[in-house]
Amino acid sequence: MLDNLYSKRDVIKYLKDRSIFPNKNRGQNFLCDRNIAYNIANIIPSDLSRGEYALEIGGGLGALSNMLYSIYNENLTIVEYDNALYNHLIEKFNNINIIHKDILTVDICSSSNKYDIYGNIPYNIASPIMEWLLEKSYDKWNYAVFMVQSDFAQRLIAKENTENYSSLTLFTNFMSSIKLEYNVSKDVFYPVPKVTSSIISIIPKKVDVNIIEVFKSVAKTLFHNRRKTIKNNFINSPYLNINKENIDEILRKSNIDDSIRGETLHIDKVIELSNIVSEYI
């Protein structure tokens, strides 16, 4: 097994010796802090037990992988898309499953295992990864611990009537419970990113799978035009196929004032609205 890489000096030297160039478009910023890697690997949401299997999204140079391997051993799976980093991980770990794919194309539902999921998630694919986790991988994971950009974390935990509240907020909180654990300085990465990061823990919720698509469509409709009223957004929604003459009835049944904006609705009201909308589509 290769030596662990935690200091910036060692990371920079290793990348130079291997002619590995961090890809800005893929958000490749390598963690260079042993304590933070240890803490991420050892965050277990309250009232939950660690599972037997773990999956890491984007192993990179293995800072987090080292810690996860010490816990899960051969039951750790790493998914790495980058060719050079995949080859590095293959050389570093010779007895675990390392998948050379884009995580968005990986189907963990075909596995008999249920995973604890970890990852340092690039901003440009953070939303698709949340969808992959919450919907495409539904009921195949115990909990997830992600490092994301702090502004993305704020979107996930936002409350109604705030600037960060969005359809993403609604969907992620419908499918899961999310906690902001702590923030991470940009100085512990190489290359140094322009923003701070946050560690979030995610616990899946049991939901009615028949309502997931309807809920997503309703959430997107509410924010189709953020400054328009709920009724206006329902009339002009590209996400829902509802007869216009039924919109007033749906809002009346939901006890929603049709002149307010979607950003004012608490998630419980959106769930109620979605269940009523499902009767009309």
Side-chain angles (χ1 to χ4, degrees):
M1 181 179 292
L2 296 174
D3 291 336
N4 297 337
L5 298 167
Y6 285 108
S7 74
K8 282 190 181 182
R9 181 183 63 183
D10 290 343
V11 167
I12 292 170
K13 183 178 185 305
Y14 183 84
L15 293 174
K16 182 178 179 181
D17 291 346
R18 296 295 184 95
S19 297
I20 299 175
F21 305 99
N23 190 314
K24 184 178 180 180
N25 293 331
R26 293 181 187 162
Q28 290 180 349
N29 302 97
F30 301 111
L31 179 63
C32 306
D33 190 293
R34 182 186 299 273
N35 290 331
I36 292 175
Y38 176 86
N39 290 338
I40 294 172
N42 285 279
I43 290 175
I44 303 176
S46 59
D47 301 325
L48 291 182
S49 299
R50 192 186 295 279
E52 184 179 357
Y53 297 90
L55 182 144
E56 183 186 6
I57 299 172
L61 291 177
L64 177 57
S65 310
N66 292 322
M67 301 299 175
L68 295 175
Y69 181 76
S70 68
I71 298 169
Y72 296 93
N73 299 302
E74 68 275 5
N75 290 334
L76 170 65
T77 295
I78 303 175
V79 179
E80 178 56 64
Y81 180 73
D82 184 274
N83 287 331
L85 298 177
Y86 170 77
N87 290 330
H88 162 79
L89 292 168
I90 285 290
E91 186 178 355
K92 184 175 179 62
F93 302 102
N94 56 20
N95 63 338
I96 64 173
N97 184 26
I98 303 177
I99 301 173
H100 189 198
K101 282 186 177 181
D102 179 342
I103 185 61
L104 301 179
T105 68
V106 175
D107 178 18
I108 65 172
C109 291
S110 61
S111 170
S112 60
N113 303 327
K114 203 164 186 175
Y115 295 92
D116 304 336
I117 299 182
Y118 302 82
N120 180 7
I121 309 301
Y123 186 80
N124 60 336
I125 60 168
S127 292
I129 284 181
M130 291 300 295
E131 184 175 346
W132 172 89
L133 175 75
L134 299 174
E135 187 174 4
K136 294 182 180 178
S137 305
Y138 179 75
D139 205 33
K140 292 300 295 183
W141 52 286
N142 302 305
Y143 64 85
V145 181
F146 288 163
M147 179 155 23
V148 297
Q149 286 193 10
S150 292
D151 59 344
F152 185 78
Q154 291 301 318
R155 291 175 62 196
L156 298 182
I157 64 172
K159 302 299 182 183
E160 63 271 22
N161 288 310
T162 62
E163 182 180 359
N164 285 319
Y165 197 58
S166 67
S167 59
L168 174 67
T169 315
L170 288 170
F171 179 64
T172 53
N173 285 273
F174 173 59
M175 299 294 294
S176 66
S177 297
I178 301 176
K179 179 183 178 183
L180 174 60
E181 299 286 349
Y182 56 89
N183 294 326
V184 178
S185 169
K186 60 186 178 181
D187 295 327
V188 301
F189 297 94
Y190 177 81
V192 178
K194 295 180 179 179
V195 296
T196 58
S197 297
S198 297
I199 307 300
I200 57 172
S201 59
I202 310 169
I203 303 173
K205 291 178 180 177
K206 289 289 185 182
V207 300
D208 179 358
V209 294
N210 296 314
I211 205 71
I212 293 176
E213 284 301 323
V214 177
F215 183 91
K216 283 177 64 179
S217 297
V218 169
K220 289 179 179 179
T221 293
L222 293 173
F223 288 90
H224 176 53
N225 188 321
R226 193 179 184 98
R227 296 307 169 194
K228 297 291 185 179
T229 66
I230 290 177
K231 182 175 181 178
N232 187 289
N233 277 337
F234 263 79
I235 291 172
N236 296 289
S237 174
Y239 310 107
L240 290 169
N241 185 19
I242 300 176
N243 292 330
K244 291 184 178 180
E245 56 267 24
N246 291 328
I247 293 174
D248 286 336
E249 184 177 348
I250 290 170
L251 295 177
R252 185 172 62 253
K253 282 186 176 181
S254 305
N255 195 27
I256 293 174
D257 182 346
D258 62 13
S259 66
I260 63 175
R261 296 172 179 169
E263 64 190 25
T264 66
L265 294 185
H266 185 274
I267 187 171
D268 290 344
K269 179 58 73 173
V270 180
I271 294 173
E272 178 186 347
L273 174 61
S274 299
N275 280 305
I276 293 172
V277 166
S278 68
E279 300 171 4
Y280 291 83
I281 58 177

